[in-house]
Amino acid sequence: MKKKRKVDFGAYAFLIPAAVIYLSVIVVPVFYSLFISLFKWNGVAEKEFVGLSNYINLFTNDATFMIALKNNLIWIVLTIVLLMTVSLGFAVILNKQFRGRTVFRAFFYFPCVIAPIAVAIIWRWIYNPNIGFINQFFKVLGINFKQTWISDPKVSLYAIFAAALWQGIGQPMILFLAGLQSVSPDVLEAATIDGAGPIRKFFSVTVPLMKETFVMVLATLIVAAMKVFDIVQGLTGGGPNNSTQVLATYMYSQTFQYNNVGMGTAVACVMVVMMLVVIIPYISFTAKEK
């Protein structure tokens, strides 16, 4: 006969404060937002139930939402291709032994701790068409390359991403550094003895051994790219002519500028679903690794 397992209710009691905070701050607001998205509401007057009309209008009649969705997807691609590549490159360089590498690590990580709105202000001056650093730099070189960087719909999104790239390198770089330092030197030495060159060692030995690091960095960067807001709002506010709208800025404008709370929360729910597409496989992968 199996011995009955004793339940320690005291241990569960210690979880109650955290559970209350989690439910009140995360779970309840999420479900309440989903509930609000089914209504037409300005935040003050009586709610009007419209069912899934807000979602249908977003995907069928709302051109600005489609621009925001496309820009978010472009941002995700740029993040994966450029931000991951650049941060990994810096991590590989700063993982080598040379004098002053600690200073360089701090130097490249420093922008990551600056508030995004402060970064937006800095880069707004850099992109200034009259006195900005970039245009003045080309002028000093005698090159006629004057641009209205954040006022041109064709280049404004990429100009904002350049500012975000400058700020965002630090965090994935540190994660990649930790992953590189976890690779055993004995394994790399064995690969060298077998005749593998630096490039072959990196792609055939180092990268496979950093699989968990790549998954973690990829998941966190994609989620951050989906909810990008501060840098876009600070530089352009979604303009010019909605060319730099992303889902977060469009949600903000619908909710707080146009008082279209139902539509704004519908955009928020779409963002949550998109993030779950990334988060659920990531949690599943990390759970299998344990």
Side-chain angles (χ1 to χ4, degrees):
M1 188 175 179
K2 288 186 179 180
K3 187 176 180 180
K4 193 174 182 180
R5 189 174 180 181
K6 186 179 178 181
V7 178
D8 188 355
F9 291 101
Y12 286 102
F14 282 102
L15 295 176
I16 292 175
V20 170
I21 294 173
Y22 181 77
L23 289 171
S24 59
V25 176
I26 297 178
V27 176
V28 173
V30 166
F31 282 98
Y32 183 66
S33 297
L34 182 60
F35 172 76
I36 292 297
S37 70
L38 303 177
F39 291 83
K40 183 179 180 182
W41 186 39
N42 63 3
V44 179
E46 192 71 23
K47 300 183 188 71
E48 178 187 346
F49 182 76
V50 293
L52 297 176
S53 294
N54 287 331
Y55 295 96
I56 295 172
N57 288 331
L58 283 177
F59 287 97
T60 58
N61 300 322
D62 196 331
T64 306
F65 171 78
M66 298 309 295
I67 292 173
L69 182 60
K70 182 190 76 173
N71 286 341
N72 259 106
L73 295 175
I74 292 173
W75 197 281
I76 291 170
V77 172
L78 291 174
T79 297
I80 295 172
V81 174
L82 292 179
L83 184 55
M84 276 193 68
T85 304
V86 174
S87 59
L88 178 60
F90 277 120
V92 170
I93 294 171
L94 296 176
N95 190 49
K96 298 182 182 298
Q97 295 287 344
F98 62 90
R99 189 168 182 173
R101 68 171 183 170
T102 303
V103 175
F104 282 103
R105 288 177 181 179
F107 178 79
F108 287 116
Y109 183 75
F110 175 71
C112 192
V113 302
I114 303 175
I117 194 66
V119 173
I121 294 172
I122 293 169
W123 280 84
R124 190 185 297 166
W125 281 104
I126 292 174
Y127 285 139
N128 188 288
N130 298 316
I131 60 173
F133 172 78
I134 297 178
N135 284 348
Q136 290 298 314
F137 176 75
F138 284 115
K139 184 178 179 181
V140 169
L141 293 178
I143 301 173
N144 185 18
F145 193 65
K146 188 175 181 179
Q147 298 285 328
T148 53
W149 296 97
I150 57 176
S151 300
D152 186 348
K154 294 181 180 178
V155 300
S156 52
L157 181 67
Y158 305 102
I160 296 172
F161 182 81
L165 179 68
W166 175 79
Q167 185 193 22
I169 287 174
Q171 185 177 7
M173 182 192 74
I174 292 297
L175 294 174
F176 280 131
L177 267 172
L180 287 168
Q181 291 172 2
S182 68
V183 177
S184 173
D186 296 335
V187 177
L188 296 175
E189 186 178 350
T192 303
I193 294 172
D194 289 339
I199 297 176
R200 180 68 182 274
K201 277 195 300 182
F202 180 75
F203 286 103
S204 299
V205 180
T206 305
V207 171
L209 291 175
M210 290 175 59
K211 180 178 66 174
E212 292 83 1
T213 303
F214 275 97
V215 171
M216 180 173 61
V217 171
L218 186 64
T220 53
L221 288 182
I222 290 176
V223 170
M226 287 180 183
K227 61 179 185 178
V228 61
F229 172 77
D230 308 72
I231 192 77
V232 179
Q233 187 69 20
L235 275 171
T236 64
N241 195 26
N242 291 319
S243 61
T244 60
Q245 285 282 8
V246 291
L247 292 176
T249 58
Y250 188 55
M251 174 192 68
Y252 174 83
S253 63
Q254 285 292 314
T255 305
F256 299 106
Q257 292 180 350
Y258 304 119
N259 295 323
N260 195 350
V261 179
M263 190 68 76
T265 52
V267 176
C269 290
V270 171
M271 291 175 62
V272 169
V273 172
M274 291 177 64
M275 291 180 195
L276 287 175
V277 171
V278 178
I279 293 170
I280 292 175
Y282 170 68
I283 294 175
S284 176
F285 174 82
T286 53
K288 288 178 181 178
E289 293 294 320
K290 294 180 179 179

